[in-house]
Amino acid sequence: MNVDRENPAGPGFDPQAQLARLATPERAGRLRHVEHIPARAAALCPWPDWVAPPVLSAFTTAGIEELWSHQRDAMDRAHAGEHVVLATGTASGKSLGYLAPLLTAAVDGAGAASGRGATALYLSPTKALAADQLSRIERLAVPGVRAATYDGDTPLDERRWIREHAQIVLTNPDLVHHSLLPLHERWAPFLRALRYVVVDECHVYRGVFGAHVALLLRRLRRIARRYGADPTFVLASATIGEPAAHASDLVGAPVQAVTEDGSPREQLTFALWQPPETDEGGRRSATTEAAELLADLVEDDVQTVAFARSRVGVEALAAGAARRLDARLHPGAGAELVAAYRGGYLPEERRALERSLRERELLGLAATNALELGVDIAGLDAVLLAGWPGRRASLWQQAGRAGRSGARSLAIFVAADDPLDTYLVQHPEAIFGPAVEACVMDPANPHVLAPHLAAAAAELPLTPADEEWFGADMVAILDVLVARGILRRRPTGWYWARPDRPGDHVSLRGTSGVVSVLERRTGRVVGTVDENSAHSQVHTGAVHVHQGQSYVVTELDLEEGTAAVVRGDAGWTTQAQSVSAFDIVAETAGADHGPVRLSFGSVRVRTQVTSFLRRLPGGEVIGTHPLDLPERVLATKAVWWTMTPESLAAAGIDAVDVPGAAHAAEHAAIGMLPLMATCDRWDVGGVSTALHPDTGLPTVLVYDGHPGGAGFAERAHSVIVEWLAATREAVAGCPCEHGCPGCVQSPKCGNGNEPLDKAGAVRLVDLVLDSLRGVERP
């Protein structure tokens, strides 16, 4: 079938008919569930009287003559000075909830001492989102309103004008950290008139990144008060569990939630799809299956975005779909119609792809969540999700990319071969029922709090009264910073004591830096990899894929932060192998439950990448090669449990089988944790042992993969019974005999998934659950 570019699916798109075309007899059994999310009528409200006439005129001229109920509720609360979070569905017009009060304040001049009107600061996690909001404000053309983006790309000669004249500044947390707060004297007129702070896509701020942003917002509030301002915070979020609690933790003050969505919505057909079993006993990969579905949809002229969980997965998905289209249509058709989009691309590459998608030159795009929070691309017909994206908020954010122009839409979740995905296709209520997971973060994490205290002291000397912003642990951490020569204590407070800037020593996004991937022959920057992933992704000998092109890493230089590559298809893939161990530093919480002890506390995890495997496309290992990389030590938080050998033996687990049972239980538990917390399995790690020197017992441990902890392990500790019950069901319900990626095998296991004992894992988890529930075992 040739693609008809003049007759797009558009408003006449029939998702159910399209799904029937995909679910052919040859694919029998793959379509596991179909959820028809019905259309919803709008709940309309009139505009409030307080909106400035020029603002109201601009919106009504743009065709917005009435509001949806959640927009009216949020803007009324914000106008009244109440911190508010608007947590409604994708494409529900959340931006109107904050734009109306921001623009009105700018027009009315409320709180202004300089005559330019009240000011507002808009924070988004991506530059693209800030650029989109600026474009919308400029299209409204409210007389007298001056708005501008201010980020690392802003020319120096424009920055002064923005500081002195702009009423609405659109930027990101990184700019606030590195520029606005350290140079707050230059921003004094803006800060003096600061009426609103908007935190868009606030569900993104979780874990360590969330803790950094929470402390950044406390620093911002502290400096604003220095200039006599007390801004109102308006936050926008995708649908998450407990949005008010999450927003309050971010801001450091009570925030009210608006969650009743009054926007209209066309019908969404949401399918759960499980790839078939392979002859080797596992299942076909979600990436391969999604590539085939993407090719089918593009061939039918259905404009589709396919989300994959990793950069490698995105490249493989796009390449797989392109190959199929080349074979079905004509050579080169795949490159014309399908592309990849992910982090690590250069800005000009991303902008070109976004433009091609908007103009419908591209019909298929494979993307990471770099697009999930990117530009507002309307009119897509379908979304494929190759594997669970890690969070329900991400799932609905990605699914919401389809149907944004008001047409019916199709979303297909393609299950990966791991415990959580397998569980979800068997339990649709876990996706479509009430939210279970919660955003978690820990602003009290000393690894995060200490550098922010140093930065705050450089901005304005700290005094004991600043415990209001930074908590009761502030003074103890300040004493450590003084002892290290980072701060100086004086009778009037704590002062920054070094010649450099404190902000240069901390990355808000929780990474210690980036490694540049350089083409050896030309010196061209191919892309970037965060430093924490470099050991496993761009070690010497690794195969690295960028925009469908394969490269082989010839040298990783950790001191220089570079990985040299040569272009060419090696004909195999690589997988790093590692060894891990842990030391228990302190048990913060612990309790005995019969033969089981459950604990939470601080640990040191020691990990070293020791070798890598070379695999042929079919998975066959053709070589193991040693690596000489340094050990990495992570001080973090963990949840762990121990079991007595006698109780394990009574549960039917012989001593020789304990390592495999504990290892399998550890893998499965990690795989199921995203059901309970807004993490994915790559945010956490695990170690298990039949005899740990610190406990003297068989021990299973799950830890946060971030220095100081990110809150995930603490959340796991608080919901241990629900978490392990779902884990047990996922493993016991898997039809495989000895264990597979759908239950106990892990894609990131440094030990090659050996040893694993599926039956033993079920017995071990049963023992732990019975003990926690107080059930007497015979």
Side-chain angles (χ1 to χ4, degrees):
M1 177 185 296
N2 291 322
V3 175
D4 180 4
R5 309 301 290 278
E6 301 301 319
N7 185 29
F13 176 54
D14 185 341
Q16 296 181 53
Q18 184 64 49
L19 190 57
R21 288 173 61 84
L22 297 174
T24 61
E26 294 78 17
R27 292 169 172 166
R30 302 187 199 183
L31 182 59
R32 300 298 301 272
H33 178 82
V34 179
E35 190 84 9
H36 298 291
I37 300 172
R40 179 182 60 214
L44 297 172
C45 294
W47 281 90
D49 294 338
W50 54 260
V51 174
V55 176
L56 180 60
S57 176
F59 279 116
T60 55
T61 300
I64 305 174
E65 298 182 354
E66 292 181 291
L67 299 171
W68 297 324
S69 58
H70 62 276
Q71 296 171 327
R72 173 66 188 267
D73 191 4
M75 67 176 65
D76 280 342
R77 290 173 183 268
H79 178 69
E82 182 178 334
H83 301 315
V84 60
V85 57
L86 185 51
T88 53
T90 307
S92 60
K94 289 187 286 288
S95 59
L96 201 59
Y98 54 76
L99 283 178
L102 262 63
L103 294 169
T104 291
V107 168
D108 289 348
S114 63
R116 70 171 170 185
T119 60
L121 187 67
Y122 169 92
L123 303 178
S124 74
T126 66
K127 293 180 182 179
L129 201 53
D132 267 9
Q133 288 298 327
L134 176 63
S135 177
R136 180 168 190 185
I137 292 171
E138 290 176 340
R139 288 196 304 271
L140 288 170
V142 179
V145 170
R146 297 180 297 276
T149 54
Y150 192 108
D151 55 37
D153 298 331
T154 305
L156 292 177
D157 58 342
E158 291 183 21
R159 295 188 176 198
R160 181 173 180 177
W161 182 91
I162 292 171
R163 291 195 300 267
E164 295 180 353
H165 300 288
Q167 297 144 310
I168 300 174
V169 174
L170 302 101
T171 186
N172 53 66
D174 308 86
L175 189 286
V176 175
H177 173 63
H178 289 291
S179 181
L180 190 154
L181 291 178
L183 304 174
H184 60 84
E185 294 92 347
R186 298 182 184 180
W187 288 84
F190 179 87
L191 289 167
R192 201 170 285 121
L194 187 60
R195 173 77 176 274
Y196 292 107
V197 177
V198 174
V199 183
D200 206 355
E201 306 289 0
C202 72
H203 59 280
V204 172
Y205 304 124
R206 61 185 183 276
V208 168
F209 186 25
H212 277 298
V213 172
L215 290 167
L216 177 76
L217 296 181
R218 286 158 175 75
R219 286 165 50 203
L220 175 62
R221 293 177 63 208
R222 175 176 179 259
I223 292 299
R225 182 179 292 181
R226 158 73 174 76
Y227 291 98
D230 185 16
T232 298
F233 281 75
V234 186
L235 302 95
S237 170
T239 303
I240 56 171
E242 303 176 0
H246 177 60
S248 299
D249 288 343
L250 273 176
V251 173
V255 179
Q256 301 301 313
V258 174
T259 58
E260 193 69 33
D261 195 332
S263 64
R265 179 182 62 196
E266 290 299 322
Q267 183 185 52
L268 169 64
T269 299
F270 206 130
L272 305 186
W273 188 283
Q274 189 170 34
E277 294 184 3
T278 64
D279 295 338
E280 291 75 28
R283 290 189 180 274
R284 190 186 197 193
S285 79
T287 301
T288 302
E289 188 79 0
E292 185 174 283
L293 294 173
L294 179 59
D296 290 349
L297 289 162
V298 168
E299 191 177 3
D300 286 348
D301 197 31
V302 178
Q303 193 175 40
T304 305
V305 169
F307 286 99
R309 295 191 292 197
S310 68
R311 296 181 175 190
V312 173
V314 163
E315 298 285 359
L317 203 162
R323 282 196 303 271
R324 288 169 171 82
L325 290 168
D326 285 347
R328 297 178 194 177
L329 302 177
H330 58 81
E336 295 171 7
L337 299 173
V338 177
Y341 182 111
R342 60 170 175 78
Y345 280 12
L346 302 177
E348 55 269 27
E349 293 176 315
R350 294 199 301 269
R351 299 292 87 80
L353 289 169
E354 291 161 6
R355 183 175 59 255
S356 296
L357 195 64
R358 279 199 195 98
E359 295 175 359
R360 210 176 170 82
E361 295 170 359
L362 280 176
L363 287 181
L365 194 70
T368 61
N369 63 359
L371 183 68
E372 173 192 322
L373 298 174
V375 294
D376 186 7
I377 298 171
L380 300 179
D381 305 306
V383 166
L384 296 170
L385 298 97
W388 182 248
R391 294 159 290 277
R392 281 172 53 118
S394 290
L395 178 91
W396 292 109
Q397 193 87 355
Q398 292 176 4
R401 280 298 187 184
R404 293 173 74 93
S405 61
R408 291 178 296 172
S409 57
L410 173 65
I412 303 176
F413 166 59
V414 182
D417 201 6
D418 70 28
L420 180 55
D421 289 39
T422 302
Y423 179 89
L424 290 169
V425 295
Q426 296 170 353
H427 297 81
E429 70 279 2
I431 293 178
F432 303 110
V436 175
E437 65 191 11
C439 278
V440 290
M441 60 182 175
D442 181 16
N445 178 344
H447 292 264
V448 179
L449 179 55
H452 282 277
L453 288 174
E459 293 155 8
L460 194 67
L462 288 163
T463 70
D466 286 313
E467 284 188 353
E468 171 191 357
W469 308 109
F470 303 114
D473 294 336
M474 182 189 79
V475 173
I477 295 176
L478 290 175
D479 289 342
V480 173
L481 294 175
V482 170
R484 294 179 179 175
I486 296 171
L487 297 183
R488 182 179 293 113
R489 178 73 193 267
R490 291 288 182 262
T492 52
W494 288 267
Y495 291 75
W496 176 246
R498 295 172 48 149
D500 53 351
R501 299 202 323 176
D504 297 337
H505 299 280
V506 59
S507 167
L508 296 185
R509 298 175 190 266
T511 58
S512 52
V514 296
V515 171
S516 297
V517 181
L518 305 176
E519 191 170 26
R520 186 165 187 166
R521 184 177 61 84
T522 64
R524 180 176 67 92
V525 177
V526 173
T528 59
V529 176
D530 70 85
E531 188 179 21
N532 291 332
S533 303
H535 287 227
S536 58
Q537 291 188 13
V538 289
H539 56 76
T540 301
V543 174
H544 179 74
V545 181
H546 183 88
Q547 282 199 329
Q549 176 62 53
S550 292
Y551 298 84
V552 178
V553 180
T554 59
E555 181 185 13
L556 171 61
D557 189 329
L558 292 171
E559 289 188 5
E560 293 295 325
T562 60
V565 300
V566 294
R567 186 170 177 169
D569 186 357
W572 58 75
T573 60
T574 53
Q575 180 181 356
Q577 303 284 287
S578 63
V579 294
S580 298
F582 68 93
D583 309 309
I584 295 173
V585 177
E587 183 187 67
T588 305
D592 290 318
H593 303 268
V596 171
R597 181 172 181 82
L598 173 65
S599 304
F600 169 77
S602 300
V603 299
R604 293 173 70 252
V605 180
R606 294 175 279 115
T607 305
Q608 185 175 22
V609 175
T610 57
S611 62
F612 69 94
L613 304 178
R614 287 187 300 138
R615 293 181 183 273
L616 293 175
E620 177 187 354
V621 176
I622 58 173
T624 302
H625 306 271
L627 291 169
D628 182 19
L629 289 168
E631 182 181 72
R632 299 175 69 88
V633 178
L634 175 68
T636 187
K637 294 292 198 304
V639 56
W640 67 92
W641 59 89
T642 61
M643 304 134 293
T644 65
E646 297 78 11
S647 65
L648 288 168
I653 306 172
D654 296 333
V656 70
D657 297 323
V658 170
H663 193 197
E666 168 217 323
H667 280 185
I670 289 171
M672 294 304 295
L673 185 52
L675 192 64
M676 306 292 161
T678 53
C679 66
D680 59 39
R681 71 184 306 153
W682 303 95
D683 288 323
V684 294
V687 187
S688 55
T689 176
L691 179 63
H692 192 272
D694 292 339
T695 65
L697 293 168
T699 306
V700 177
L701 176 139
V702 176
Y703 62 88
D704 290 348
H706 301 275
F712 306 131
E714 186 171 15
R715 168 71 175 171
H717 180 260
S718 69
V719 294
I720 184 76
V721 172
E722 297 91 331
W723 174 37
L724 291 185
T727 300
R728 194 264 182 208
E729 187 173 349
V731 177
C734 185
C736 73
E737 186 174 353
H738 299 296
C740 69
C743 57
V744 298
Q745 291 182 8
S746 169
K748 61 173 188 169
C749 180
N751 297 321
N753 284 300
E754 291 290 343
L756 291 175
D757 182 348
K758 175 185 175 180
V762 174
R763 296 189 188 102
L764 186 151
V765 175
D766 278 341
L767 166 64
V768 176
L769 282 171
D770 285 350
S771 300
L772 293 174
R773 291 165 171 163
V775 176
E776 294 289 338
R777 297 177 65 88

